[in-house]
């Protein structure tokens, strides 16, 4: 029985065949700035053990992508996406908890992330997980008009 057929969905590392569904979900959730398939592929190749997915049957419910800096002083959560119809069920928390567990297991000292300041649901989740803002909102973080709040959590 494959992971896709598991009656009790579990979070697992992504496989190459998951990339089209991750790309589809990324475009659904991040309509103004989704990852290109090229960037997702590069993240998969470089950080495959930190690209995590959760399926129910054949349906991708969500994914989280993190990466570990070479010095292990920090790990970055680059993206968290939960399908719109799956929100409010704790899936984002489950994905984040597994990502943080894997970062900690990798010896990372601090988890960091950048979040859109207007994304109150995400900020509320991150704060509930123990993240705190590093300071003021950083203007033009991802380019002109793309401000982000940087948050961190000691592991």
């Amino acid at each position: 029985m494959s992971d896709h057929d598991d009656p009790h969905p579990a979070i697992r590392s992504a496989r190459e065949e998951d990339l089209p569904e991750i790309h589809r979900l990324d475009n659904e959730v991040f309509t103004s700035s989704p990852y290109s398939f090229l960037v997702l592929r590069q993240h998969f190749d470089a950080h495959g053990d930190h690209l995590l997915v959760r399926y129910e049957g054949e349906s991708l419910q969500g994914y989280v992508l993190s990466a570990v800096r070479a010095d292990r002083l920090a790990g970055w959560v680059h993206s968290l996406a939960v399908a719109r119809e799956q929100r409010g069920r704790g899936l984002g928390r489950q994905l984040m908890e597994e990502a943080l567990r894997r970062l900690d297991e990798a010896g990372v000292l601090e988890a960091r992330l950048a979040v859109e300041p207007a994304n109150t649901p995400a900020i509320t989740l991150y704060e509930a997980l123990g993240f705190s803002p590093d300071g003021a909102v950083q203007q033009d973080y991802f380019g002109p008009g793309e401000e982000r709040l940087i948050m961190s959590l000691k592991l």
Side-chain angles (χ1 to χ4, degrees):
M1 176 157 70
S2 75
D3 288 334
H4 292 293
D5 299 326
D6 189 341
H8 304 290
I11 296 168
R12 62 166 172 79
S13 295
R15 297 188 289 251
E16 185 174 5
E17 61 264 23
D18 295 318
L19 290 175
E21 275 300 293
I22 295 169
H23 186 246
R24 181 200 57 75
L25 180 60
D26 205 64
N27 278 273
E28 173 190 311
V29 173
F30 303 109
T31 55
S32 66
S33 58
Y35 284 128
S36 68
F37 193 89
L38 168 71
V39 169
L40 282 171
R41 177 63 201 220
Q42 290 174 326
H43 278 297
F44 173 77
D45 288 344
H47 315 289
D49 53 340
H50 291 281
L51 176 54
L52 309 176
V53 294
R54 183 161 193 253
Y55 279 86
E56 185 171 295
E58 295 296 317
S59 176
L60 177 64
Q61 296 178 312
Y63 85 89
V64 62
L65 168 64
S66 60
V68 177
R69 275 186 16 187
D71 62 10
R72 301 209 185 285
L73 293 177
W76 281 85
V77 177
H78 290 295
S79 187
L80 170 67
V82 173
R84 293 190 198 293
E85 68 276 5
Q86 299 295 329
R87 293 183 184 167
R89 297 179 48 206
L91 302 179
R93 173 181 284 278
Q94 292 171 21
L95 285 160
M96 281 296 295
E97 286 173 346
E98 181 61 16
L100 294 171
R101 187 190 70 73
R102 290 185 185 209
L103 289 172
D104 186 50
E105 191 174 81
V108 171
L109 301 179
E110 179 180 59
R112 299 177 60 79
L113 56 83
V115 61
E116 187 177 341
N119 191 343
T120 304
I123 292 169
T124 300
L125 169 63
Y126 301 145
E127 288 177 337
L129 290 167
F131 281 86
S132 58
D134 284 356
V137 170
Q138 292 193 19
Q139 301 300 314
D140 302 328
Y141 186 79
F142 285 139
E146 293 289 335
E147 62 188 22
R148 292 296 184 270
L149 177 63
I150 308 302
M151 301 182 79
S152 61
L153 168 68
K154 298 286 185 209
L155 297 176

